């Protein structure tokens, strides 16, 4: 299987993470719908919609996307991401501040999160690491398991139903359990994903805030049906939702490995 070359502008550590996170799944079994039989009904319905029978249950995925993100104001971006649920991600993106290009990455792996962004590939714009950023990055990783649906069958993921439209997946990441709520339509479509995520979107001390993404449109890649148009941000379902929204993106491709 062809290796997806790491995007430019990554540090040496981020490149190592990129390569590790896109390692092909060994001996990926073909999906049998009976494998979803023990999940609570909303989760079972989503998984049967998300994975076509006979699809190899590959857990790693490399994504390419484009959209808008809010850094002070809304700006266009393009990005690539290597994602392995419960283990880590590297998200490498480019945008512009006025006429000047900005490149950077966010990453989480092996219990450490980091972000690093540079103007003209030289001047630091945003950077960070440490316990608070790591905990927030672990929350992002928990939410994004829906982009690689085979992860739902990982025995480390615990499930419970809230009602006939909502299921909660509990994912152990970074020594902490992260409860992720999935809203699932009667036909199995994933409508939204939400959780209490560590962060400081209000500029105050880090603490838990409600975080969520709306799954506006879906598409199929390699037998997996996943969200391809997404709107995400803090405080979904509240009067602060518009203030908290910070990303809108569309997937161009998803390569499962």
């Amino acid at each position: 299987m062809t290796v997806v070359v790491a995007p430019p502008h990554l540090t040496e550590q981020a490149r190592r993470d990129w390569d590790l996170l896109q390692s092909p799944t060994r001996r990926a079994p073909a999906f049998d719908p009976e494998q979803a039989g023990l999940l609570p009904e909303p989760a079972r319905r989503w998984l049967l919609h998300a994975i076509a029978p006979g699809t190899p249950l590959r857990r790693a995925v490399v994504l390419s996307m484009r959209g808008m993100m809010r850094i002070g104001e809304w700006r266009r971006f393009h990005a690539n991401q290597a994602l392995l649920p419960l283990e880590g991600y590297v998200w490498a993106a480019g945008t512009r501040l006025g006429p000047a290009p900005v490149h950077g990455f966010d990453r989480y792996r092996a219990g450490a999160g980091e972000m690093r962004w540079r103007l003209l590939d030289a001047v630091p714009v945003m950077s960070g690491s440490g316990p608070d950023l790591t905990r927030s990055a672990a929350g992002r990783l928990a939410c994004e398991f829906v982009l690689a649906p085979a992860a739902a069958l990982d025995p480390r993921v615990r499930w419970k139903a809230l009602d006939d439209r909502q299921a909660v997946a509990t994912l152990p990441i970074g020594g902490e359990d992260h409860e992720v709520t999935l809203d699932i339509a009667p036909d199995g479509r994933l409508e939204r994903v939400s959780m209490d995520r560590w962060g400081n979107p209000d500029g105050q001390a880090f603490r838990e805030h409600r975080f969520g993404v709306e799954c506006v449109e879906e598409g199929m890649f390699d037998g997996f049906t996943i969200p391809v148009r997404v709107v995400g941000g803090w405080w979904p379902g509240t009067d602060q939702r518009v203030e908290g929204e910070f990303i809108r993106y569309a997937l161009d491709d998803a390569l499962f490995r």
Side-chain angles (χ1 to χ4, degrees):
M1 186 176 291
T2 303
V3 172
V4 181
V5 177
H9 317 298
L10 294 181
T11 62
E12 183 177 345
Q13 180 61 61
R15 286 179 181 276
R16 287 198 296 268
D17 289 349
W18 176 276
D19 290 339
L20 285 168
L21 295 170
Q22 64 152 320
S23 298
T25 304
R26 294 184 178 181
R27 299 183 295 275
F31 177 60
D32 182 341
E34 291 188 3
Q35 292 174 274
L38 296 180
L39 297 182
E41 176 53 29
R44 187 192 70 84
R45 195 166 66 242
W46 164 64
L47 205 64
L48 294 179
H49 177 80
I51 310 179
T55 298
L57 290 172
R58 299 188 176 107
R59 293 187 59 239
V61 63
V62 179
L63 308 162
S64 60
M65 65 189 71
R66 55 191 161 77
M68 303 285 289
M69 61 181 175
R70 185 153 62 182
I71 307 175
E73 61 185 58
W74 286 101
R75 305 177 192 279
R76 295 187 183 278
F77 78 90
H78 57 87
N80 296 285
Q81 179 175 0
L83 170 66
L84 179 58
L86 282 83
E87 304 301 331
Y89 66 85
V90 177
W91 186 78
T95 185
R96 305 188 76 86
L97 291 178
V102 176
H103 295 101
F105 66 87
D106 298 346
R107 72 174 184 92
Y108 176 91
R109 196 186 75 80
E114 179 189 18
M115 62 184 300
R116 185 177 298 191
W117 294 79
R118 292 180 179 272
L119 179 71
L120 299 170
D121 300 327
V123 181
V125 176
M126 292 186 297
S127 61
S129 59
D132 285 325
L133 190 144
T134 291
R135 190 173 177 185
S136 182
R140 170 179 170 173
L141 176 61
C143 270
E144 291 189 343
F145 88 96
V146 298
L147 295 172
L153 295 170
D154 191 305
R156 293 173 291 177
V157 179
R158 305 191 306 275
W159 287 94
K160 65 180 179 182
L162 297 182
D163 54 34
D164 63 346
R165 295 287 293 264
Q166 289 188 316
V168 175
T170 301
L171 297 92
I173 298 172
E176 182 178 0
D177 283 346
H178 300 263
E179 293 191 347
V180 180
T181 300
L182 279 60
D183 286 61
I184 300 159
D187 63 359
R189 288 179 298 108
L190 184 61
E191 296 182 322
R192 64 187 58 83
V193 180
S194 59
M195 70 175 299
D196 291 330
R197 179 182 170 192
W198 197 251
N200 67 336
D202 56 359
Q204 305 299 313
F206 275 79
R207 62 187 189 280
E208 286 189 339
H209 298 264
R210 199 64 181 170
F211 171 83
V213 297
E214 297 286 333
C215 305
V216 181
E217 185 179 340
E218 61 183 15
M220 178 180 281
F221 303 90
D222 299 336
F224 294 99
T225 297
I226 59 174
V228 297
R229 194 154 63 90
V230 168
V231 177
W234 302 96
W235 313 304
T238 73
D239 293 341
Q240 294 178 284
R241 178 187 61 81
V242 174
E243 176 188 351
E245 185 180 312
F246 66 84
I247 192 164
R248 307 164 183 163
Y249 72 79
L251 285 184
D252 292 320
D253 198 12
L255 175 63
F256 287 88
R257 299 179 57 76

